Amino acid sequence: MESELQGLNPKPPKQPDPNKDERPLLKPPDAAASSGELDKKYAAFVRSDVYGSMGRGELPTREKVLLGLALVTLVPVRVVAVTTILLLYYLICRVCTMCSVPNREEEHQEDYAHIVGWRRIVIVQCGRALSRLMLFVLGFYWITQTYRIPQTYVENPATPSEQENDAQSEDTQSEDSRPGVIISNHVSYLDILYHMSASFPSFVAKRSVAKLPLIGLLSKCLGCVLVQRESKSPDFKGVSAVVTERIREAHQNASAPTMMLFPEGTTTNGDFLLPFKTGGFLAKAPVLPVILSYHYQRLSPAWESISGVRHVILILCQFVNYMEVTQLPTYYPSQQEQDDPKLYANNVRRLMASEGNLILSDIGLAEKRIYHAALNGLFSQC
């Protein structure tokens, strides 16, 4: 009886620890299934080359042999050549800026973009030539360039009155036809080298870039807009204000460097076009749309879902790389687009997607970070 009573009156249950997570542990998701779901949801950032997501895919034997051969023979030659080109251009910029620092005190930064005369000519022409040479060293032996007139410009013939209005519009545009900014899709850091070789424009960069060895002086000579986002001084201008001012200056002054913007704000795998930020369209100036496309058989040159160091090494190992450039005519905004920068940006985006056979995507940098974090989690489980 006593034993039965003991069985009917067990010890009081142990109180749960409020600091302890009592939820059941979840089993790690199946890597293949989870990866497939992620790839479908974040398609704009998915790598589909031989090396796979994060460049960690299982390689076939042939690819391993080619990779090992390139590491021993091709990579050392390319590293030496790229370093030599970089040092040579640094010395050219150093000589051209010696004893003649422009010191334009706006925003307390030196604006080397406003150097004029022979110094500016040497900086620009040497910069373009050496940028193209660097692309050649990296395997871009030829670059296909296409100048395309969108179908929307020619599929509807104009009436005589419309032709007269168009002629007047063209006369007005010819007087002030220089675009203030180049708008391009963003696929890789190699995009910058191409645009430097083609037009040597100014980019947007962090203020800290100006302090980097070698690169700092080159960024100044490019006329980069150096942004210090954390600045709280009363005379500090926001990024959009600085960029807008530079675009207007480039549009109105033929001697000012053209601005170059990647309005997506991040890279994609080259098949998609993300939503455009409106910063490059606030100046109400005409824009020059340029579409970059990389073709590949082994490694995709897209700097997407892969670490920078790994991608640079693999690019150096690839014997031949391919780039195709499509340049559209200068896009002149209508009055409605000038009044609505978001409409202006969306119309240019749709035009570029149509002419470049790109897929419009609604995701952006925030989703990209989620995708990369998820990929890192899946690989850490494997």
Side-chain angles (χ1 to χ4, degrees):
M1 179 67 69
E2 187 174 340
S3 61
E4 293 177 0
L5 291 175
Q6 289 178 353
L8 293 174
N9 295 281
K11 295 180 180 180
K14 185 178 179 181
Q15 295 296 326
D17 186 352
N19 297 322
K20 184 178 180 180
D21 190 354
E22 298 291 345
R23 294 176 296 180
L25 295 177
L26 298 176
K27 294 182 179 180
D30 179 71
S34 298
S35 178
E37 294 174 1
L38 289 172
D39 291 351
K40 184 177 180 180
K41 185 175 182 180
Y42 303 104
F45 310 124
V46 175
R47 295 191 69 83
S48 55
D49 58 7
V50 173
Y51 292 85
S53 297
M54 309 305 288
R56 303 178 188 177
E58 183 63 29
L59 299 179
T61 303
R62 180 176 179 274
E63 186 64 26
K64 292 179 181 179
V65 172
L66 290 175
L67 189 60
L69 182 62
L71 283 170
V72 175
T73 60
L74 190 60
V75 172
V77 175
R78 284 181 168 176
V79 168
V80 171
V82 168
T83 303
T84 301
I85 293 172
L86 185 61
L87 287 173
L88 176 60
Y89 189 53
Y90 173 80
L91 292 176
I92 291 173
C93 291
R94 178 59 66 187
V95 170
C96 290
T97 56
M98 189 177 298
C99 303
S100 180
V101 179
N103 274 332
R104 187 177 164 191
E105 291 298 334
E106 180 181 359
E107 303 239 348
H108 308 291
Q109 71 179 33
E110 295 173 347
D111 192 349
Y112 287 79
H114 291 80
I115 292 178
V116 295
W118 67 268
R119 299 172 187 269
R120 181 63 184 170
I121 294 175
V122 172
I123 288 175
V124 172
Q125 296 304 320
C126 289
R128 294 182 63 178
L130 292 178
S131 297
R132 183 62 187 92
L133 179 59
M134 187 172 292
L135 283 172
F136 184 89
V137 169
L138 295 176
F140 294 91
Y141 305 120
W142 56 87
I143 297 176
T144 303
Q145 300 188 22
T146 304
Y147 299 90
R148 183 178 301 172
I149 300 178
Q151 291 297 321
T152 53
Y153 288 9
V154 298
E155 60 184 13
N156 294 323
T159 63
S161 60
E162 290 174 338
Q163 291 177 355
E164 182 178 354
N165 292 335
D166 290 342
Q168 294 175 354
S169 177
E170 290 177 0
D171 291 340
T172 302
Q173 293 176 0
S174 63
E175 296 176 358
D176 197 14
S177 60
R178 187 172 191 258
V181 58
I182 300 172
I183 297 296
S184 174
N185 62 320
H186 200 10
V187 183
S188 174
Y189 49 82
L190 298 166
D191 303 348
I192 297 175
L193 279 178
Y194 167 75
H195 287 295
M196 286 179 62
S197 68
S199 55
F200 205 79
S202 298
F203 299 86
V204 176
K206 294 181 180 180
R207 183 69 62 88
S208 58
V209 171
K211 299 180 181 179
L212 295 176
L214 300 181
I215 303 298
L217 179 60
L218 304 188
S219 67
K220 291 180 180 179
C221 289
L222 271 167
C224 289
V225 176
L226 303 177
V227 177
Q228 187 175 350
R229 297 177 181 176
E230 66 276 9
S231 176
K232 297 181 179 179
S233 60
D235 59 342
F236 173 74
K237 295 182 179 179
V239 179
S240 296
V242 176
V243 170
T244 299
E245 182 178 336
R246 290 290 299 275
I247 291 175
R248 288 173 178 165
E249 180 182 9
H251 174 52
Q252 298 169 0
N253 182 4
S255 63
T258 302
M259 283 296 302
M260 166 73 235
L261 293 177
F262 300 110
E264 294 171 283
T266 188
T267 56
T268 68
N269 57 16
D271 296 328
F272 292 78
L273 200 61
L274 306 183
F276 280 6
K277 300 182 184 300
T278 59
F281 304 89
L282 296 174
K284 305 179 181 180
V287 302
L288 180 64
V290 176
I291 306 166
L292 303 183
S293 177
Y294 296 87
H295 304 289
Y296 61 91
Q297 296 178 348
R298 297 165 54 212
L299 171 74
S300 170
W303 185 27
E304 187 48 65
S305 301
I306 188 172
S307 69
V309 174
R310 185 185 297 266
H311 191 259
V312 169
I313 294 175
L314 293 178
I315 281 288
L316 292 173
C317 290
Q318 188 149 267
F319 295 92
V320 182
N321 290 295
Y322 303 93
M323 180 189 297
E324 182 177 346
V325 181
T326 302
Q327 179 176 313
L328 303 181
T330 300
Y331 188 104
Y332 295 89
S334 64
Q335 185 60 51
Q336 186 179 6
E337 290 171 328
Q338 293 181 33
D339 296 337
D340 187 352
K342 188 174 182 179
L343 175 65
Y344 187 6
N346 288 338
N347 287 346
V348 173
R349 176 177 176 246
R350 285 198 296 267
L351 175 64
M352 293 176 63
S354 174
E355 296 299 321
N357 295 319
L358 301 174
I359 304 171
L360 294 176
S361 174
D362 293 331
I363 60 179
L365 181 58
E367 289 80 5
K368 178 179 181 176
R369 290 171 176 167
I370 295 174
Y371 176 61
H372 285 185
L375 283 181
N376 288 325
L378 288 176
F379 277 107
S380 65
Q381 296 169 11
C382 298

